[in-house]
Amino acid sequence: MTDEESEKRGSRRNRVLKEAFASFNEKFSAVPCVVRDISETGAKLRFMDMAVVPDRFTLVIPLDGIQVECERQWATSRDCGVRFTSAPEQSRLRRSQVVKAYRPGEAVIVTAPSKTQAADEEADASAFPDYNRARPQRAFGRRR
């Protein structure tokens, strides 16, 4: 990034990879996205399809438990840059993340299911026979 772009942006962006969604239509509609980088003044978002995302929306990031009003500044087919038009607020949607560090040399304990758990799973499988049966695989290409 050049000095001119950094000066234009106003604040430094931090690279992240967080699940989020764009909420609009008075919060009756939402489109999932991924926050790729974020700063105090805006963020870069990645959507599966930008066609359904309006110019103004509320960005909700459940992992941080925040929501913030946004305005789209630029867009490509999947990415867009947004400017925050309000201060971040606490969101009712909050998800916590627990990460346990792996330490080399520690034993990894894998337990086998108990007999009663295996019997319960077998009973569940027999209750939905159509769902659990193998489906035929179709070859790629045109049907004949």
Side-chain angles (χ1 to χ4, degrees), residues 9 13 33-39 41-47 50 53-57 59 69-85:
R9 181 165 287 142
R13 289 209 171 170
C33 65
V34 175
V35 180
R36 299 301 307 236
D37 61 43
I38 194 165
S39 71
T41 59
K44 178 181 177 183
L45 310 175
R46 176 160 291 168
F47 291 89
M50 279 296 304
V53 181
D55 290 337
R56 294 178 150 270
F57 56 88
L59 179 67
E69 298 296 320
C70 298
E71 181 178 24
R72 186 169 51 198
Q73 298 296 299
W74 59 268
T76 62
S77 62
R78 294 185 61 196
D79 295 338
C80 79
V82 296
R83 179 177 62 90
F84 298 150
T85 58

